[in-house]
Every structure is written in C-alpha cells, then in structure tokens.
Amino acid sequence: MAQDIVEQIKSDVNNNKILIYMKGTPEAPQCGFSQATVELFKSLGASFASRDVVANPELRAKLPEFSNWPTFPQVFINGKLIGGCDIIHEMHERGELEPLVREALKS
C-alpha cells in the first residue's frame, strides 16, 4: 500500500503543471497557510491541481518522505518541489513566482 501511494504521488507530480498538496481543498482550506497559498495562485489567474492531505492520512504521512519537506502546503511546479507558503510568497514578492507559473502553464 505504501508503494502505491508513492506511485500516486509521482504520477500526480509529473502529470500536473502546478500541484498543491494542502490541508483541505481550494474551496475549503483547513489551514491559513493552505488558504494563503491558494489565494496567491488564484490572484495570478493560474490553474492548478490540488490534493487534500487531511482526507488521505497515508498521503499526509508519505509525502514528506517523498519530498523531504515536512510541512504543508507543498507546491510543485513542472514536477519540482518549489516549497511551502512562505517560500512561495517570498518568490512572489521578489517577482520570481509569476514568470515560473507562466512558463509552466504555457508548456
């Protein structure tokens, strides 16, 4: 079962240009960090996929091992872990996030 969840993570990361592993859903975030991350991507007009780690305890347990990142949300762009809420917002403030998002969505 654990291998199945790792394969699902790999598939999700590789098959979604922008993917947010978060607590809750974009419509109903279950933590402020997840909400702030979703709001930022929405403000950029960026489409993204999401996975609710609260609804899937096995995913919540295995993802930090896979990504080597302990907290949520976790944002992946073009198959690469970018970081969590703080890093995403810092990148946005420095003008680095939007070009990365635009490039991902046009590829």
Side-chain angles (χ1 to χ4, degrees), residues 67-84:
S67 63
N68 200 27
W69 191 266
T71 59
F72 298 99
Q74 293 185 18
V75 176
F76 288 80
I77 298 178
N78 277 340
K80 180 180 177 216
L81 175 67
I82 303 302

Side-chain angles (χ1 to χ4, degrees), residues 24-106:
T25 65
E27 300 76 28
Q30 293 186 16
C31 84
F33 297 113
S34 291
Q35 181 175 359
T37 301
V38 165
E39 287 176 1
L40 178 55
F41 279 94
K42 285 182 177 179
S43 77
L44 295 174
S47 59
F48 58 89
S50 68
R51 299 292 179 267
D52 181 358
V53 299
V54 174
N56 188 334
E58 190 176 10
L59 175 61
R60 188 175 187 171
K62 285 292 176 191
L63 186 61
E65 294 174 22
F66 174 85
S67 63
N68 200 27
W69 191 266
T71 59
F72 298 99
Q74 293 185 18
V75 176
F76 288 80
I77 298 178
N78 277 340
K80 180 180 177 216
L81 175 67
I82 303 302
C85 182
D86 291 348
I87 289 174
I88 294 299
H89 279 81
E90 288 168 10
M91 289 177 69
H92 180 63
E93 289 170 12
R94 291 191 308 259
E96 298 168 355
L97 183 62
E98 191 167 2
L100 187 63
V101 167
R102 298 284 167 241
E103 185 62 30
L105 294 177
K106 78 176 187 183

